[in-house]
Amino acid sequence: MADGPVTASVIVLNYRKEELTIECVRSVLAGDMAFDSYEVIVVDNGGTDDGHALLEKSLGGFANVTLLRSEKNLGFAGGCNLAVE
């Protein structure tokens, strides 16, 4: 990753499918991005405590991954809006 501003954001919504979300994020991180710098924002959209803990354990160590949590399911647009904020 280049130092400096982020040039792209990848938003991934999770709703009680933690293993698929983790696989998706790892795939994005392993891919050849066409951007100098990018971030991945994962929104746990109304998931369970155990599911959120699994996301934190699996994805919390990546510097360019941000994990957000909503206590209730905000729907697709609401989850994306949370990430954009």
Side-chain angles (χ1 to χ4, degrees):
M1 304 271 187
D3 291 331
V6 171
T7 57
S9 297
V10 177
I11 298 171
V12 179
L13 297 183
N14 174 66
Y15 181 70
R16 299 183 182 179
K17 298 287 184 188
E18 289 78 20
E19 280 104 21
L20 291 175
T21 299
I22 293 164
E23 183 179 336
C24 176
V25 171
R26 287 187 175 160
S27 178
V28 169
L29 295 173
D32 185 22
M33 295 292 283
F35 301 97
D36 292 335
S37 177
Y38 66 95
E39 65 182 346
V40 179
I41 303 169
V42 178
V43 178
D44 187 10
N45 205 9
T48 64
D49 289 341
D50 290 343
H52 187 76
L54 179 60
L55 291 172
E56 285 183 331
K57 179 180 176 186
S58 299
L59 302 174
F62 295 101
N64 59 335
V65 175
T66 300
L67 183 57
L68 303 176
R69 184 175 191 187
S70 174
E71 292 296 324
K72 65 178 189 169
N73 186 343
L74 302 173
F76 181 77
C80 288
N81 287 339
L82 178 63
V84 170
E85 289 176 8

